[in-house]
Amino acid sequence: QVQLVESGGGLVQAGGSLRLSCVASGSILRINRMGWYRQAPGNQRELVASISSGGRTNYADSVKGRFTISRDNAKNTVYLQMNSLKPEDTAVYYCNGDVIDRDVVRLEYWGQGTQVTVSS
């Protein structure tokens, strides 16, 4: 069994910063792509940023230049540094991982989500 647990969400004023973390634990052999998604009320879940096991990154246009995704493969952890936050960044942020477990089964896992609220 594999679990992804996010932390670091909260309430921040516009222009402020937050850093999200997501730790993967359990029977992990390898983690390929990891990513952050978000879902605001009434909206579909959308990709915010992703990072390959080799460090290649991809960002939604709405967060380019403000958010930075990174990972520590030794710790099975992915981070999302969010700067210059805007009210429209308010959402539940979910961690996602493409995981191969020790039975060599490849599955996609999701965290439980962490709320980010940006006040104007």
Side-chain angles (χ1 to χ4, degrees):
Q1 187 71 10
V2 174
Q3 288 186 324
L4 273 61
V5 178
E6 303 103 333
S7 61
L11 173 64
V12 64
Q13 288 188 332
S17 298
L18 283 174
R19 188 191 194 210
L20 305 183
S21 300
C22 172
V23 180
S25 63
S27 181
I28 297 170
L29 180 64
R30 174 186 170 88
I31 304 178
N32 295 320
R33 175 183 173 276
M34 301 189 79
W36 289 96
Y37 290 73
R38 66 186 181 187
Q39 187 168 18
N43 291 355
Q44 290 187 336
R45 190 173 296 188
E46 62 175 0
L47 175 67
V48 176
S50 65
I51 184 167
S52 70
S53 57
R56 180 174 296 183
T57 58
N58 178 53
Y59 295 93
D61 288 342
S62 59
V63 306
K64 283 181 181 176
R66 300 188 298 121
F67 291 9
T68 302
I69 189 171
S70 61
R71 65 189 287 174
D72 184 333
N73 291 330
K75 296 181 179 179
N76 289 334
T77 301
V78 63
Y79 306 96
L80 186 67
Q81 178 66 42
M82 304 185 294
N83 298 329
S84 302
L85 281 161
K86 304 176 181 180
E88 51 263 44
D89 294 318
T90 296
V92 178
Y93 284 70
Y94 296 91
C95 175
N96 172 272
D98 176 11
V99 179
I100 300 174
D101 67 21
R102 295 189 185 279
D103 293 324
V104 201
V105 174
R106 181 178 178 178
L107 290 173
E108 185 178 39
Y109 290 89
W110 292 88
Q112 81 288 352
T114 185
Q115 177 70 45
V116 172
T117 303
V118 184
S119 63
S120 56

